[in-house]
Every structure is written in structure tokens, then in C-alpha cells.
Amino acid sequence: MLPVYFISHAGPNQAVEESVTADFFAELGKKWTSFSEPAPTSILVISGHWEGERGVVRVRTSEENQLYYDFYNFPDFMYKLQYPSKGSPQLASRAGIPAEAETSRGVDHGVWVPFLRILPKPEIPIVQMSLAEMHGQPAEKAFEYHYKLGQALAQLREENVLIVASGTAVHNLRDLGTYIQAGGKVAPYVEPFDALLDKVVLSE
């Protein structure tokens, strides 16, 4: 079966600026295109920047992927960048979970920014799926819902679908500027959360 990836996509400027992350994404793309046994027939991307309705996920079902420029106060040229990838209505209908179809919202920067670096020539169809909106719900309920969602999606790996989760382990733009100005110090909640994440993913 194909592996599952979590990528930390960084900011929109990652699409155009050279960096260690950009280099890593380029190498990752070479790995993906080298898969031959099996080769990916399509890619399912779950972005942390899209939530469906309460307790419901949404899936893009369009043949073509328009872009959604869901960021503000960047140079004008950033809003003209293109990534003309194909969708896959067939994959969207195969998810095997209760989901609502989406045709108007484009793929957000959690998808196209890293993919511009990973697969500059988008030859593999890409389908974006949302998380479910769970604000105000107990953390355990939200975790259980999305854990079961992952179990349901796992079957797609047997159909040569590459599954990619895109986001950031810790994402707090309000604090980010403060800690950058403080010389790159790390917020006190970051290390404990990272340690817990490592424990859950690697040990449990």
C-alpha cells in the first residue's frame, strides 16, 4: 500500500521563496513520482484550512481544481499564481464516508502551496476533503470522529490512492509574530504538545 503523509505547508510565500522546506518538498515529489508498485492513481488531500458543517465533511467533486487564495496582505502576484491540477469525481465518490459534495470552493493554500513545490507538473488528479467543524465539542469527541474518519479512508490506500494531510502541528498566528520578535523563542505550549504528538503517533 502507498504510505500516508502529513506535511507542514508553511506560509503562502513558500510557493515562491527558496528554503530548506522548498528543497525538502522537491525531494518528496521525486519520491512520489518514483512509486511504481503501486503508482498513485490519485491524491486525497485533507487540509487543516477547510472545515465542513457540524459533524460533516465536504469533498471537492469537480473535474478541474480552481485555486482559493485564502490569505491576506501578500504581494499582488501571489493572487495570480496558478496550479492547474485535475480533480477526480470518481475518487470523491469513493471516499466511503458520509460527505457533502463541493464544487464552488477552490483548493486552498494548504494544498496548492506545497504542491507547487512537490509536483510542479500536476499530472496526478488531486481531490481535497475538509475536516468536520467541531467547535465547542469535547476534544475527545472531535478526536474520535476524525480518528474514525481516518479508519474509513484507509481502504483507499488499497486502491493506489496517496493520502496527504496538510497543516501545521501548532498554528497560532497571534502568537507567532510575538515569538518571532522575541528572537525566535518557542511558545510554552509547543514543546509539550509536540511531545504528546510524538508519543501518540510513534508509540500508541
Side-chain angles (χ1 to χ4, degrees), residues 14 19 25 31 40 43 50 55 57 68 70 83 91 103 109 113:
Q14 191 70 66
S19 65
F25 282 160
K31 184 173 184 177
I43 301 174
W50 186 20
V57 296
Y68 178 30
D70 56 328
Y83 188 70
L91 171 59
T103 57
H109 80 278
V113 164

Side-chain angles (χ1 to χ4, degrees), residues 171-181 185 187-190:
H171 190 291
N172 187 328
L173 295 181
R174 294 183 186 89
D175 283 357
L176 181 61
T178 300
Y179 284 94
I180 287 177
Q181 292 176 1
K185 292 182 179 179
Y189 50 78
V190 172

Side-chain angles (χ1 to χ4, degrees), residues 12-85:
N13 53 310
Q14 191 70 66
V16 295
E17 294 179 358
E18 299 304 320
S19 65
V20 172
T21 305
D23 293 342
F24 170 77
F25 282 160
E27 290 302 313
L28 187 60
K30 293 177 183 176
K31 184 173 184 177
W32 289 5
T33 54
S34 71
F35 288 136
S36 57
E37 296 295 336
T41 57
S42 51
I43 301 174
L44 177 68
V45 188
I46 301 98
S47 166
H49 288 274
W50 186 20
E51 293 181 330
E53 302 301 323
R54 175 58 60 91
V56 177
V57 296
R58 299 185 68 84
V59 182
R60 277 190 52 81
T61 57
S62 303
E63 292 277 1
E64 307 283 341
N65 285 327
Q66 294 80 28
L67 301 192
Y68 178 30
Y69 303 91
D70 56 328
F71 46 85
Y72 309 96
N73 300 319
F74 281 80
D76 290 344
F77 77 89
M78 294 286 296
Y79 302 93
K80 298 176 183 177
L81 292 174
Q82 295 295 314
Y83 188 70
S85 62

Side-chain angles (χ1 to χ4, degrees), residues 63-144:
E63 292 277 1
E64 307 283 341
N65 285 327
Q66 294 80 28
L67 301 192
Y68 178 30
Y69 303 91
D70 56 328
F71 46 85
Y72 309 96
N73 300 319
F74 281 80
D76 290 344
F77 77 89
M78 294 286 296
Y79 302 93
K80 298 176 183 177
L81 292 174
Q82 295 295 314
Y83 188 70
S85 62
K86 298 287 186 181
S88 175
Q90 296 80 13
L91 171 59
S93 66
R94 272 290 302 111
I97 55 170
E100 296 180 355
E102 175 64 58
T103 57
S104 59
R105 184 189 191 275
V107 295
D108 60 54
H109 80 278
V111 179
W112 63 264
V113 164
F115 273 70
L116 266 170
R117 295 293 193 170
I118 297 170
L119 299 173
K121 295 181 180 180
E123 298 172 350
I124 306 172
I126 297 170
V127 170
Q128 182 177 0
M129 188 182 78
S130 77
L131 299 169
E133 189 272 306
M134 303 291 280
H135 295 297
Q137 297 295 311
E140 292 80 2
K141 184 176 180 180
F143 182 88
E144 181 181 14

